[in-house]
């Protein structure tokens, strides 16, 4: 008896401090924000598809089962690292329509209106369907229709709503503002027109028809076929800006991913028009020559140092970042070690620097509420990270009558007026001003970390400007604080974005730590949930560990 007690006591001592367990699998793993979509991804892999096929299938499935962010009316980024070492980044971000112009969201007195956020004028030209098609054509293996049909079936037959999704549908005010959105997403015809409750089936017959056409005719249906024609006639009838020419001109742009190193690991991440890759590389570089980690995860000291790095990076973001096809983003200057050293040197170890004292750095002259992320690894070791979005939750709130899909409000990611905050409080200037055909600056940061040249961590999240700091924190939690991936994802998060000068803390950060941080001069605000990360780690013993964020009801699954 005694010996058993002894063994049990030793076993407890050997366990890590707070081991939340990820889902483990030997060969392949899919982590998404919604259970049915994860199952669609796993099924694509089991049917012989590779990670890109699974990513395409998940992209369409989430457009049905996670309507606040999953989409065919929005856009996003796909980062791929193939098992043989090749890498690519597909930019299928929305584009400003030809009719768009610099001051289109300002009223007669020059003040921003709400038109970039809600209603028909808020949308950029959607990129998702073209982007998923490009990914499939260049890198997929399975037949296209096999990847789109599961989503069409989910839309046609319906799927039971999770607790979180039912609650979210009920409370979305932008859905209530659009008659078609209200009819589809807030009126359960089976229940006398009440709201949907958890477990109720959500059927989307109009969306099912669009997906069936896309399964049959490819992206052509969406960009010049029946769907395109119906979409632009509704646009014209409702004062929207997108035309058939805009749709016909939409292109996926294949870009070279951004790469950097941190403590011997290689980081592959999102290039402009994402601001995120520059962000995590610059912030990690600011940490690299310090011993910030010695004080431990969640300590006031490590949070202070990381928050000061965040504050400095976001000042640069506001000044120097935009669509690289329209504005020469000074990437190498922003990541130049001498520049980063100079930025680090301005951090005071004991006191918060006021944001008013932090300016965008001197880089020596310029070189001429909702998104979703999923991470996939297949049995060959191909790794895919996708973040795509309608921008705010349910985008512009507008569902196109007869087509059943929601449109993005991505135009709000432009700087509608220099210095005026967007819906995430981010400010920007010339680099991110509205120009026809330009893509708005993004924070989406799908990222892949390599160890000894092999995939080690796949990570990404929604959350607007908070995306960049959350990806940064999860990487630091794994690489510096040696947490397993589930702990790294669940750990309480914090965020600073220069302006407003506030340090946001999740409630899980201890009262003592808060006190220390406010004594250092940080202006603290508590926010309930910062982001929802989906990550996969390649563990040392050869197992894959999938982590869906404990903040949401997503699902990790593999085999
Ligand atoms: O591209 C961007 O940075 C934003 N459109 C992302 C929006 C987002 O993550 C909202 N999610 N909660």
């Amino acid at each position: 008896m005694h010996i058993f007690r002894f063994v049990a006591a030793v076993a407890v001592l050997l366990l890590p401090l707070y081991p939340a367990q990820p889902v483990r699998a030997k060969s392949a793993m899919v982590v998404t924000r919604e259970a049915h979509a994860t199952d669609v991804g796993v099924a694509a892999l089991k049917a012989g598809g590779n990670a890109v096929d699974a990513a395409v299938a998940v992209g369409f499935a989430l457009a049905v089962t996670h309507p606040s962010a999953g989409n065919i009316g929005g856009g996003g980024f796909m980062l791929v690292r193939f098992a043989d070492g090749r890498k690519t980044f597909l930019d299928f971000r929305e584009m400003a329509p030809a009719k768009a112009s610099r001051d289109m969201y300002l009223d007669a007195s020059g003040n921003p209106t709400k038109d970039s956020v809600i209603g028909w004028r808020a949308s950029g030209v959607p990129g998702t369907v073209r982007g998923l098609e490009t990914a499939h054509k260049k890198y997929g293996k399975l037949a296209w229709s096999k990847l789109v049909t599961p989503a069409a079936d989910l839309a046609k037959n319906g799927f039971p709503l999770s607790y979180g999704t039912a609650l979210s549908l009920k409370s979305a005010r932008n859905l209530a503002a659009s008659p078609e959105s209200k009819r589809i997403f807030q009126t359960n015809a089976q229940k006398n027109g009440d709201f949907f409750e958890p477990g109720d089936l959500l059927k989307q017959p109009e969306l099912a028809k669009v997906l069936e056409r896309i399964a049959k005719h490819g992206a052509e249906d969406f960009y010049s076929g029946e769907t395109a024609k119906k979409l632009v006639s509704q646009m014209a009838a409702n004062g929207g800006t997108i035309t058939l020419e805009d749709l016909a001109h939409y292109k996926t742009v294949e870009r070279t991913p951004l790469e950097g190193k941190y403590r011997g690991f290689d980081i592959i991440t999102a290039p402009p028009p994402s601001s995120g890759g520059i962000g995590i590389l610059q912030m990690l570089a600011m940490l690299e020559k310090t011993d910030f980690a010695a004080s431990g995860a969640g300590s006031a000291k490590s949070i202070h140092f990381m928050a000061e790095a965040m504050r400095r990076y976001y000042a640069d973001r506001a000044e120097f970042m935009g669509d690289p096809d329209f504005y020469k983003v000074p990437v190498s200057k922003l990541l130049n070690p001498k520049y980063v050293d100079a930025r680090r040197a301005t951090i005071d170890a004991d006191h918060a620097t006021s944001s008013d004292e932090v300016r965008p750095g001197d880089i020596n002259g310029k070189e001429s509420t909702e998104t979703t992320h999923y991470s996939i690894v297949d049995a060959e070791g191909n790794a895919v990270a996708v973040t795509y979005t309608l921008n705010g939750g349910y985008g512009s709130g507008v569902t196109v009558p007869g087509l059943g899909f929601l449109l993005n409000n991505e135009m709000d990611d432009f700087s509608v007026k220099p210095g005026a905050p967007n819906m995430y409080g981010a400010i920007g200037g010339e680099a991110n001003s509205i120009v026809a055909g330009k893509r708005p600056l993004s924070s989406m940061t799908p990222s892949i970390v390599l160890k000894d040249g092999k995939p080690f961590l796949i990570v990404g999240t929604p959350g607007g400007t908070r995306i960049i700091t959350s990806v940064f924190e999860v990487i630091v939690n794994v690489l510096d604080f040696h947490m397993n991936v589930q702990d790294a994802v669940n750990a309480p998060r914090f965020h600073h974005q220069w302006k407003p000068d506030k340090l946001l803390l999740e409630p899980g950060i201890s009262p003592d730590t808060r006190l220390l941080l406010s004594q250092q001069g940080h202006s603290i605000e508590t926010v309930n949930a910062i982001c929802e990360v989906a990550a996969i780690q390649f563990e040392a013993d050869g197992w894959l560990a999938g982590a869906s964020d404990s903040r949401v009801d997503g699902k990790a699954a593999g085999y």
Side-chain angles (χ1 to χ4, degrees):
M1 208 49 201
H2 286 327
I3 185 74
F4 286 125
R5 260 194 222 137
F6 174 75
V7 170
V10 170
V12 166
L13 284 177
L14 288 178
L15 285 173
L17 265 182
Y18 49 109
Q21 290 306 318
V23 170
R24 290 198 170 80
K26 199 71 203 172
S27 303
M29 179 71 73
V30 178
V31 187
T32 88
R33 177 62 178 76
E34 199 281 330
H36 297 86
T38 294
D39 295 343
V40 165
V42 171
L45 294 174
K46 285 192 170 162
N50 61 21
V52 172
D53 289 312
V56 171
V58 167
F60 283 113
L62 285 168
V64 177
T65 62
H66 185 46
S68 65
N71 69 80
I72 56 173
F77 299 138
M78 178 185 291
L79 176 67
V80 189
R81 200 269 182 184
F82 298 95
D84 63 9
R86 284 173 303 134
K87 316 152 192 127
T88 192
F89 182 84
L90 298 179
D91 167 359
F92 52 97
R93 182 105 169 123
E94 300 87 334
M95 277 168 67
K99 280 189 198 146
S101 60
R102 187 188 172 88
D103 296 335
M104 66 187 282
Y105 298 116
L106 302 183
D107 64 16
S109 348
N111 297 318
T113 62
K114 284 273 158 251
D115 286 5
S116 66
V117 176
I118 190 157
W120 286 88
R121 292 181 74 236
S123 305
V125 183
T128 296
V129 179
R130 181 69 77 205
L132 296 180
E133 184 185 69
T134 308
H136 172 259
K137 275 195 172 147
K138 291 198 77 168
Y139 305 112
K141 287 197 333 196
L142 290 183
W144 169 254
S145 66
K146 284 214 160 59
L147 305 178
V148 190
T149 303
D153 291 346
L154 281 163
K156 187 169 162 195
N157 304 326
F159 66 97
L161 289 166
S162 70
Y163 178 85
T165 307
L167 204 71
S168 160
L169 287 175
K170 204 184 277 194
S171 57
R173 275 184 279 159
N174 54 355
L175 292 180
S178 150
E180 185 68 347
S181 299
K182 191 172 168 55
R183 179 184 74 77
I184 294 175
F185 296 109
Q186 294 188 326
T187 314
N188 187 348
Q190 311 295 317
K191 290 194 169 171
N192 303 324
D194 286 348
F195 285 114
F196 289 92
E197 297 297 333
D200 288 353
L201 275 192
L202 175 66
K203 294 188 183 179
Q204 301 169 76
E206 295 88 356
L207 178 58
K209 290 227 165 65
V210 172
L211 289 167
E212 281 162 8
R213 284 202 296 270
I214 293 173
K216 201 163 164 199
H217 305 297
E220 189 265 330
D221 169 69
F222 192 92
Y223 291 95
S224 54
E226 185 176 338
T227 300
K229 287 176 192 139
K230 287 189 168 151
L231 169 57
V232 301
S233 85
Q234 289 291 336
M235 274 277 157
N238 290 284
T241 49
I242 297 173
T243 62
L244 264 186
E245 288 70 41
D246 287 324
L247 288 170
H249 287 141
Y250 186 83
K251 278 191 185 59
T252 309
V253 183
E254 192 155 15
R255 302 185 189 274
T256 307
L258 210 55
E259 293 189 60
K261 278 197 181 301
Y262 180 61
R263 298 195 200 279
F265 292 83
D266 294 297
I267 319 267
I268 309 169
T269 184
S274 170
S275 56
I278 298 173
I280 59 168
L281 294 179
Q282 198 191 71
M283 291 189 289
L284 289 170
M286 276 193 242
L287 300 187
E288 184 137 33
K289 292 183 187 165
T290 74
D291 69 345
F292 85 98
S295 46
S299 64
K301 209 165 168 188
S302 66
I303 293 177
H304 168 70
F305 199 91
M306 291 169 76
E308 290 301 314
M310 292 172 183
R311 185 197 307 275
R312 283 156 181 77
Y313 155 68
Y314 273 91
D316 282 352
R317 181 189 189 276
E319 179 74 14
F320 298 120
M321 294 175 215
D323 181 348
D325 297 340
F326 285 74
Y327 178 88
K328 199 141 191 342
V329 182
V331 181
S332 52
K333 290 188 176 177
L334 291 166
L335 297 176
N336 182 311
K338 280 211 182 100
Y339 173 69
V340 174
D341 287 350
R343 291 298 259 179
R344 184 194 307 109
T346 66
I347 297 178
D348 179 329
D350 303 313
H351 299 102
T353 315
S354 154
S355 284
D356 286 336
E357 286 164 29
V358 175
R359 311 302 321 159
D362 176 7
I363 57 161
N364 195 11
K366 296 173 207 170
E367 280 175 23
S368 269
T369 285
E370 178 95 14
T371 302
T372 192
H373 176 87
Y374 52 99
S375 297
I376 299 179
V377 178
D378 65 23
E380 291 161 28
N382 301 303
V384 178
V386 177
T387 313
Y388 80 148
T389 186
L390 291 166
N391 194 20
Y394 307 100
S396 64
V398 171
T399 300
V400 190
L403 298 177
F405 64 85
L406 282 153
L407 286 166
N408 68 81
N409 58 351
E410 212 67 65
M411 292 299 284
D412 191 62
D413 268 352
F414 280 116
S415 177
V416 303
K417 180 182 176 181
N422 72 3
M423 61 193 273
Y424 304 105
I427 54 177
E430 200 48 47
N432 191 32
S433 62
I434 304 176
V435 181
K438 189 172 173 183
R439 297 174 189 222
L441 183 64
S442 175
S443 298
M444 295 186 287
T445 315
S447 299
I448 298 173
V449 179
L450 307 181
K451 183 182 183 185
D452 303 326
K454 299 210 179 84
F456 177 69
L457 184 67
I458 309 176
V459 55
T461 180
T465 45
R466 301 172 190 178
I467 291 173
I468 308 166
T469 50
S470 294
V471 169
F472 168 60
E473 286 166 51
V474 171
I475 291 177
V476 165
N477 285 344
V478 175
L479 269 48
D480 288 289
F481 297 126
H482 309 291
M483 294 183 195
N484 83 27
V485 68
Q486 192 69 58
D487 283 339
V489 167
N490 290 357
R493 285 197 273 264
F494 51 95
H495 172 77
H496 202 298
Q497 63 180 47
W498 178 52
K499 302 262 171 100
D501 191 347
K502 284 196 164 44
L503 177 58
L504 309 186
L505 301 178
E506 282 190 331
I509 297 197
S510 81
D512 313 24
T513 310
R514 272 162 208 276
L515 186 62
L516 287 169
L517 287 163
S518 68
Q519 284 166 351
Q520 287 179 312
H522 289 284
S523 155
I524 287 175
E525 199 173 294
T526 304
V527 287
N528 247 337
I530 296 181
C531 294
E532 37 187 71
V533 173
I536 301 174
Q537 187 180 359
F538 293 68
E539 293 188 324
D541 57 5
W543 285 76
L544 294 167
S548 169
D549 204 314
S550 60
R551 294 162 182 79
V552 292
D553 46 13
K555 177 175 173 180
Y559 60 90

